Amino acid sequence: MSARFGVWLMGALGRLPLRWLRALGWLLGRVLFVIAVPRRRIALRNLELCFPHLSVAERTTLARRNFVVFCQTWLDRGWLWSAPEAVVRSRIKLEGALHELEGDTPTIVFAPHFYSMDAGGLTLPLNTTRAFTSIFSTHPNPTIDDWFMGGRQRFGDVRMLNRADGVKPIISSLRQGGLLYLLPDMDFGKNDSVFVPFYGVTAATIPSLSRFARLGRAKVIGMYTRMTPEGYVAQITPAWEDFPTADAVADTARMNRELEKWINTMPEQYYWVHKRFKTRPEGEPSLYI
């Protein structure tokens, strides 16, 4: 299937009633759990490391639900990125400490990798007129890359910065009073990473949240987006107190603790198919087979 046809198909599926689309996602997720063996093993291993108190059966059930949510949220991009604005507004809600988005104080939105992250990304430009910046990596397929870029920038004043462009444009945007939508919770390798606990397991984590907050003189708020039967709800937290500090490692460990609290409320919706513990400290064996 060509990328161009795939993008067209996603838009066509996005016109289906939401309950039909979610039912299709449920079916695809169940199938994917069976056939995507490498990703299933990764998810199960992550859950074993992070939730050792659960039984094998409980972790398997959680992983299967995780694949279903993955497929449902993937299909939802069809309407998120092409449906009329009124439809999108009726299905995605922004709640919590909304006052944190007011004014022009430089603000970093910590938005970790829940599968609903693209729905969360659209709630900001739909609910604030402030300039909104995010960081991306170019997709190798130009058609798919254009689809991602167009969808994520379809509302408001959104600027996508390439990770390869470096720090300067990010800090410049922050200091001008913008919002930065930051997703720093993946394993990006040893370069620029620090080793801090994540669910009690040492994890390579980039300290960009602390670094950007300090350089941009910005406050940090959390935004955690949950898939619901009606669509999505993004929750804004109050600004983090005493953040950043002079200790980027301690700040990054705190970031992971904050993330754990929210994962525990919806563990089936987090990005467990990623090798979060792939990078190990020198001399430690791999945690994956």
Side-chain angles (χ1 to χ4, degrees), residues 153-198:
Q153 297 180 95
R154 68 176 304 211
F155 300 124
D157 183 6
V158 178
R159 181 185 181 194
M160 302 296 292
L161 297 177
N162 195 304
R163 193 177 304 278
D165 293 336
V167 172
K168 286 185 178 180
I170 298 170
I171 301 306
S172 175
S173 177
L174 270 176
R175 289 184 175 178
Q176 292 173 27
L179 297 171
L180 173 62
Y181 190 75
L182 192 63
L183 301 85
D185 57 312
M186 296 284 96
D187 185 333
F188 291 103
K190 285 188 178 180
N191 292 340
D192 301 322
S193 291
V194 297
F195 287 103
V196 292
F198 180 58

Side-chain angles (χ1 to χ4, degrees), residues 54-71:
L54 296 181
S55 68
V56 173
E58 289 171 326
R59 291 196 296 266
T60 301
T61 297
L62 180 54
R64 186 180 295 110
R65 290 167 57 197
N66 188 251
F67 275 64
V68 167
V69 175
F70 171 82
C71 288

Side-chain angles (χ1 to χ4, degrees), residues 271-289:
Y271 203 83
W272 295 117
V273 295
H274 163 75
K275 285 188 176 181
R276 183 62 185 89
F277 307 104
K278 179 179 179 180
T279 303
R280 309 310 305 145
E282 193 69 33
E284 284 196 13
S286 173
L287 294 177
Y288 300 94
I289 298 175

